[in-house]
Amino acid sequence: MIGLTGRVTGRIGAGLVGEVMVHVPERQGTEAFLAYLAVPGERLEPGSMVVVVEYQPPRTVYVAPL
């Protein structure tokens, strides 16, 4: 999961749990994950592209903007 890219579908920010859609090649599809900012900062709005920097199974990722 780490290093994969995705698109924000639910706003991510301080105090907000967002959602991202990440293409997972091993599973041949795109999947939704709960998402948090890897480094506190500005909000990420829907449509923003992100990279996964940490993964906590089963469905949580920490992301940074591309």
Side-chain angles (χ1 to χ4, degrees), residues 1-61:
M1 292 298 305
I2 295 173
L4 296 179
T5 59
R7 182 177 46 86
V8 176
T9 54
R11 181 181 293 135
I12 307 169
L16 296 174
V17 178
E19 180 184 70
V20 295
M21 296 297 289
V22 178
H23 178 70
V24 184
E26 294 82 14
R27 299 181 197 152
Q28 299 180 355
T30 302
E31 300 180 16
F33 292 85
L34 297 176
Y36 294 90
L37 289 174
V39 177
E42 62 190 57
R43 290 182 177 183
L44 294 174
E45 298 295 329
S48 302
M49 297 301 294
V50 295
V51 62
V52 176
V53 297
E54 187 178 334
Y55 171 59
Q56 293 182 348
R59 312 282 321 154
T60 302
V61 292

